[in-house]
């Protein structure tokens, strides 16, 4: 090896991988049960917990609060909403389990110091049916502090990138990874492992290029590690065809939820037409899902994109109209009117300053005053997440009281099909719309379940030292490649013997964008484009073995791209297998442009076998556990 890398071994009972909301929820819950039963809980994070994960920059709202105690909504209400928005494809048991526990997570946040907006009567201020307004710039800092206090600093390893799972006798028995700050290789040995490493960004070519490269709606440091880890462990995966394409304020990806829900704004095309009204007949093509309320997010996207493709773009959020309408009630009182206008302007800016500072900077830089003119909105590039409006992730067991006796239960809630491997947040599939609060609640569910598994399977299995040494060599191989060949050319950026991580990422993004329905082709694909993508993907996989890194930082980028590549391949296989278009607005199979309820009202699942190195793709049934009618 070009450098000496110390091997550090850490033995624990439960290993939590990740530092976002799911991992923080798992840490708080597992620490409680660990202390009660004498279990050691260890957490390892790629970043630093206070700003790790999708909530790291802050949020202006908590998007999931059911309000069970207040009688505001029921669990069944939430299952209906989620299943409707996902065009009928969701796991009732997983969604319901989160819904019945999420309120307690929100109450924890408030207890820990998160400022939730209150009205004059002291009640929460609701942005919409499920959302609560917060002053959330420090949301993640507050939640992470509670998790760190629960675990203790001595049980937390930060700035360590996990590369691979450790497997023994068909079980997950830990993980390996490397420090991104020191010459250290970590081997974590555990009786159970909880994967909560976030979703995937950077598989598709982004809208932000050049000086804006790296700007994305979802955090750019979420690079597919959850998907990679669970797939490489041999876990059954689900809904890998489901990507999420958010409509956001253009170029800086500012949130639109507050504008639609709190400010009651409209979105229109460039002609001022409300495409949700002028394109209403298009919804009839999608059966019952086109008539439910709220209209599924992908169908709202679809109608706007049709206008853009017809040359009626760009699309605009009518901010000036929304603010004027809200202030209209005060027009008779000049002082009250000015005060209300000022309040609304402040709320508009705070929405961005809490969670997307770049959008506030862009507004300021381009002289946008929301009370005076509309702002452009646009579809972003696709992302893979199961905590928002996507569903991709591991196929996990449901809770015993809801799932026992069905194909959805195999012993421990949130355990994957690999014994000892649990998943939460973006790592778990088919329970979307949990957002930050639901992800925290799911982390708590998974953390408690993992502790139960350990108490009932209290054996530490260890892999052979030779396996660990081989993994270490593979981890640092890109450094060896660079050291061996970088002098071959006068410019180390251009070399026939290796490919650098940025070049590899651009190549992956170009392939996925052009052939697998990226933003450049209006999210369209067909069997011919998918066949070409599969052909080119084989060349990409071959060249991934020649990825090179000049230092540890670039080694991190190498492994991020390796993880992205597996997410991309699983998506390619899933969209090729699902012979219909179920989520227009996220993607369209132009050769199969309609929804096919008879043949495809099901989950598309897949598995990569660690022994044979072969993929299998197959269907799983959607089981209706609640009397949900649309």
């Amino acid at each position: 090896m070009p450098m000496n890398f110390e091997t550090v071994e850490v033995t624990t009972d439960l290993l939590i991988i990740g530092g976002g909301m799911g991992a923080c929820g798992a840490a708080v819950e597992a620490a409680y049960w660990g202390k009660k039963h004498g279990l050691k809980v260890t957490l390892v994070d790629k970043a630093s917990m206070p700003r790790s994960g999708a909530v790291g920059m802050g949020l202006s709202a908590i998007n999931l609060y059911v309000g069970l105690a207040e009688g505001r909504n029921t669990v069944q209400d939430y299952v209906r909403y989620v299943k409707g928005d996902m065009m009928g494809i969701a796991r009732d048991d997983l969604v319901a389990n989160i819904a019945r526990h999420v309120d307690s997570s929100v109450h924890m946040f408030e207890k820990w110091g998160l400022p939730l907006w209150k009205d004059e009567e002291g009640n929460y201020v609701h942005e919409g049916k499920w959302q609560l307004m917060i002053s959330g710039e420090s949301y993640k800092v507050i939640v992470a502090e509670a998790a760190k206090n629960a675990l203790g600093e001595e049980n937390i390893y930060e700035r360590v990138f996990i590369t691979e799972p450790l497997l023994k006798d068909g079980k997950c028995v830990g993980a390996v990874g490397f420090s991104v700050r020191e010459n250290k290789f970590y081997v974590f040995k555990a009786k159970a492992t909880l994967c909560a490493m976030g979703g995937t960004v950077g598989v598709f070519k982004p809208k932000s290029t050049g000086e804006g490269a790296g700007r994305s709606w979802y955090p750019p440091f979420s690079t597919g590690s959850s998907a990679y880890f669970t797939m490489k462990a041999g876990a059954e995966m689900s809904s890998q065809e489901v990507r999420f394409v958010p409509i956001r304020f253009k170029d800086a990806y500012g949130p639109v939820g507050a504008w639609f829900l709190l400010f009651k704004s409209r979105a229109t095309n460039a002609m001022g037409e409300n495409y949700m009204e002028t394109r209403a007949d298009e919804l009839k093509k999608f059966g019952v899902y086109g008539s439910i309320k709220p209209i599924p997010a992908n169908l709202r996207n679809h109608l706007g994109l049709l206008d853009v493709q017809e040359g009626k773009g760009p699309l605009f959020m009518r901010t000036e109209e929304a603010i004027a309408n809200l202030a209209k009630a005060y027009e008779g009182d000049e002082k009250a009117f000015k005060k209300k206008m000022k309040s609304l302007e402040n709320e508009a800016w705070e929405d961005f300053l809490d969670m997307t500072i770049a959008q506030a900077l862009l507004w300021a830089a381009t002289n946008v005053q929301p009370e005076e003119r509309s702002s452009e909105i646009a579809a972003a590039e696709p992302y893979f997440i199961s905590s928002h409006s996507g569903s991709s992730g591991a196929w996990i067991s449901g809770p015993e009281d809801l799932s026992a006796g069905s194909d959805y239960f195999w012993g421990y809630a949130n355990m994957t099909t690999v014994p000892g491997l649990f998943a939460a947040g973006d790592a778990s599939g088919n329970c979307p719309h949990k957002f930050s609060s639901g992800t925290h609640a799911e982390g708590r569910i998974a953390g408690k379940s993992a502790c139960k598994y350990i108490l009932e399977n209290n054996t530490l299995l260890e892999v052979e030292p030779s396996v660990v040494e081989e993994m270490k060599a593979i981890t640092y191989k890109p450094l060896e490649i660079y050291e061996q060949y970088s002098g071959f050319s006068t410019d180390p950026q251009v070399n026939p013997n290796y490919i650098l991580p940025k070049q590899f990422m651009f190549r992956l993004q170009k392939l996925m964008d052009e052939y697998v329905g990226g933003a450049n082709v209006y999210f369209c694909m067909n069997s011919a484009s998918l066949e070409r993508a599969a052909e080119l993907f084989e060349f990409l996989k071959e060249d991934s073995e020649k990825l090179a890194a000049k230092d540890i930082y670039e080694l991190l980028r190498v492994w991020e791209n390796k993880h992205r590549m597996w997410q991309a391949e699983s998506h390619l296989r899933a969209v090729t297998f699902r012979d219909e278009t179920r989520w227009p607005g996220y993607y369209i199979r132009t050769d199969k442009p309609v929804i096919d309820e008879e043949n495809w009202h099901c989950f598309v699942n897949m598995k990569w076998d660690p022994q044979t190195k072969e993929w299998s793709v197959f269907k799983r049934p959607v089981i209706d556990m609640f009397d949900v009618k649309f």
Side-chain angles (χ1 to χ4, degrees):
M1 289 187 186
M3 304 180 210
N4 292 320
F5 293 93
E6 176 190 357
T7 298
V8 179
E9 293 189 357
V10 179
T11 301
T12 187
D13 291 304
L14 173 59
L15 175 65
I16 300 170
I17 310 176
M21 294 295 286
C24 286
V28 168
E29 194 73 19
Y32 171 80
W33 292 105
K35 288 173 184 174
K36 192 170 184 178
H37 296 285
L39 303 179
K40 181 181 179 182
V41 182
T42 301
L43 183 145
V44 55
D45 185 23
K46 168 185 179 179
S48 178
M49 289 175 68
R51 291 294 183 184
S52 185
V55 183
M57 194 158 46
L59 285 181
S60 59
I62 288 174
N63 281 346
L64 175 53
Y65 181 77
V66 179
L68 291 175
E70 301 94 317
R72 185 178 178 87
N73 298 292
T74 66
V75 169
Q76 186 176 3
D77 291 337
Y78 196 68
V79 172
R80 181 186 298 109
Y81 161 59
V82 173
K83 208 162 189 178
D85 194 75
M86 296 312 299
M87 307 291 279
I89 310 299
R91 283 273 299 271
D92 287 9
D93 56 337
L94 301 181
V95 175
N97 201 26
I98 292 169
R100 63 185 179 178
H101 290 106
V102 66
D103 290 359
S104 59
S105 273
V106 175
H107 298 151
M108 285 179 176
F109 302 157
E110 187 174 25
K111 178 183 177 182
W112 296 334
L114 179 66
L116 278 74
W117 291 16
K118 301 284 184 70
D119 61 20
E120 293 177 355
E121 284 78 40
N123 300 313
Y124 294 139
V125 174
H126 288 263
E127 182 184 59
K129 185 177 177 68
W130 310 103
Q131 299 84 3
L132 300 180
M133 295 300 295
I134 63 174
S135 295
E137 188 278 332
S138 295
Y139 183 9
K140 184 61 203 311
V141 177
I142 291 166
V143 173
E145 181 181 36
K148 296 184 86 165
N149 288 341
L151 283 180
E153 292 282 354
E154 70 278 8
N155 295 312
I156 298 170
Y157 294 81
E158 294 182 324
R159 309 293 184 188
V160 176
F161 185 80
I162 294 299
T163 55
E164 299 278 353
L166 286 174
L167 304 174
K168 178 73 173 181
D169 299 337
K171 297 181 179 181
C172 181
V173 295
V176 298
F178 63 95
S179 169
V180 299
R181 296 291 174 86
E182 303 174 289
N183 293 344
K184 291 182 179 180
F185 180 74
Y186 283 88
V187 181
F188 294 95
K189 303 174 183 180
K191 297 171 185 174
T193 303
L194 198 160
C195 176
M197 291 182 274
T200 316
V201 176
V203 167
F204 286 85
K205 184 187 294 183
K207 289 283 192 78
S208 297
T209 58
E211 65 180 14
R215 182 75 193 106
S216 56
W217 167 72
Y218 204 64
F221 42 78
S222 290
T223 54
S225 294
S226 291
Y228 179 86
F229 192 91
T230 46
M231 278 188 260
K232 286 297 293 288
E236 186 172 329
M237 307 298 290
S238 190
S239 297
Q240 294 301 108
E241 76 277 23
V242 186
R243 83 278 274 275
F244 176 47
V245 178
I247 295 281
R248 294 295 182 264
F249 283 100
K250 188 173 179 292
D251 295 328
Y253 300 82
V256 298
W259 283 100
F260 281 130
L261 298 172
L262 188 66
F263 292 98
K264 310 301 180 187
S265 182
R266 296 186 310 143
T268 71
N269 62 27
M271 288 74 181
E273 299 168 339
N274 185 339
Y275 51 82
M276 297 304 299
E277 296 173 355
T278 58
R279 296 278 183 184
D281 286 346
E282 177 72 15
L283 296 174
K284 296 175 183 177
K285 297 178 181 179
F286 300 97
V288 65
Y289 307 113
S291 61
I292 61 176
K293 302 296 180 186
I295 297 170
N298 64 289
L299 292 182
R300 299 197 301 270
N301 285 11
H302 178 55
L303 301 192
L305 287 167
L306 288 175
D307 270 13
V308 173
Q309 287 176 274
E310 275 194 12
K312 294 183 177 181
L315 305 180
F316 289 95
M317 182 73 74
R318 298 293 172 177
T319 58
E320 79 294 354
E321 176 186 278
I323 289 176
N325 288 340
L326 289 172
K328 192 172 291 184
Y330 300 87
E331 282 183 340
D333 185 333
E334 185 177 355
K335 185 177 179 180
F337 179 78
K338 287 182 178 180
K339 183 178 180 181
K340 184 63 176 177
M341 284 292 290
K342 189 64 177 176
S343 172
L344 291 169
E345 291 167 31
N346 289 341
E347 288 177 7
W349 285 92
E350 184 179 339
D351 185 38
F352 294 150
L353 292 171
D354 273 345
M355 61 184 291
T356 316
I357 296 170
Q359 187 66 54
L361 293 173
L362 183 62
W363 265 8
T366 52
N367 297 330
V368 172
Q369 294 179 293
E371 72 279 9
E372 294 181 3
R373 57 182 291 199
S374 300
S375 267
E376 195 176 347
I377 58 174
E381 60 278 359
Y383 304 102
F384 295 95
I385 55 172
S386 60
S387 58
H388 203 283
S389 299
S391 277
S392 60
W395 184 251
I396 60 172
S397 175
E400 185 172 7
D401 64 324
L402 294 179
S403 314
S406 75
D407 291 340
Y408 289 175
F409 179 72
W410 49 91
Y412 301 92
N414 280 73
M415 190 169 78
T416 70
T417 56
V418 176
L421 178 57
F422 293 77
D426 287 322
S428 62
N430 301 314
C431 45
H433 289 283
K434 52 199 170 197
F435 303 106
S436 61
S437 53
T439 295
H440 187 273
E442 189 183 31
R444 290 168 52 213
I445 293 165
K448 181 178 180 179
S449 182
C451 288
K452 182 175 185 288
Y453 171 86
I454 294 167
L455 292 171
E456 295 175 359
N457 301 270
N458 203 354
T459 303
L460 179 68
L461 299 178
E462 297 191 38
V463 301
E464 292 73 12
S466 60
V467 173
V468 172
E469 284 303 310
E470 183 182 0
M471 286 181 158
K472 183 177 180 180
I474 291 171
T475 297
Y476 292 112
K477 183 182 177 182
L479 292 171
E480 288 188 347
I481 293 174
Y482 186 86
E483 184 181 56
Q484 181 178 356
Y485 294 111
S486 59
F488 185 83
S489 57
T490 55
D491 183 355
Q493 298 285 320
V494 182
N495 195 304
N497 298 293
Y498 59 68
I499 183 170
L500 294 175
K502 183 175 283 189
Q503 297 164 346
F504 185 89
M505 182 182 70
F506 288 158
R507 187 166 150 194
L508 170 66
Q509 291 174 347
K510 177 178 171 63
L511 187 163
M512 297 297 289
D513 182 73
E514 293 179 0
Y515 298 105
V516 197
N520 189 54
V521 293
Y522 293 102
F523 314 109
C524 293
M525 64 187 85
N526 57 37
S527 58
S529 73
L530 295 173
E531 287 173 12
R532 180 60 175 153
E535 181 182 353
L536 293 173
F537 216 93
E538 290 305 310
F539 296 126
L540 185 74
K541 287 161 65 177
E542 286 179 19
D543 288 347
S544 70
E545 298 300 317
K546 299 175 183 177
L547 274 161
K550 67 177 182 292
D551 53 31
I552 293 179
Y553 173 79
E554 209 162 64
L555 183 67
L556 169 66
R557 300 302 178 216
V558 164
W559 278 98
E560 287 177 337
N561 279 307
K562 285 178 178 284
H563 289 190
R564 280 192 188 101
M565 184 180 70
W566 278 67
Q567 174 68 84
E569 182 173 8
S570 66
H571 179 62
L572 172 58
R573 290 178 180 275
V575 292
T576 302
F577 185 79
R578 184 177 279 278
D579 224 14
E580 64 162 355
T581 293
R582 182 165 290 268
W583 297 279
Y586 296 166
Y587 75 85
I588 292 177
R589 279 283 303 267
T590 55
D591 52 343
K592 304 286 182 178
V594 297
I595 192 169
D596 182 355
E597 282 286 270
E598 182 179 352
N599 297 303
W600 290 100
H601 187 87
C602 63
F603 297 106
V604 169
N605 283 18
M606 61 175 56
K607 179 183 176 182
W608 181 81
D609 190 317
Q611 301 300 319
T612 65
K613 316 298 184 191
E614 297 291 331
W615 291 87
S616 56
V617 187
F618 45 91
K619 295 180 179 181
R620 291 285 189 201
V622 174
I623 302 174
D624 297 313
M625 296 180 168
F626 291 80
D627 185 23
V628 172
K629 292 182 174 61
F630 300 121

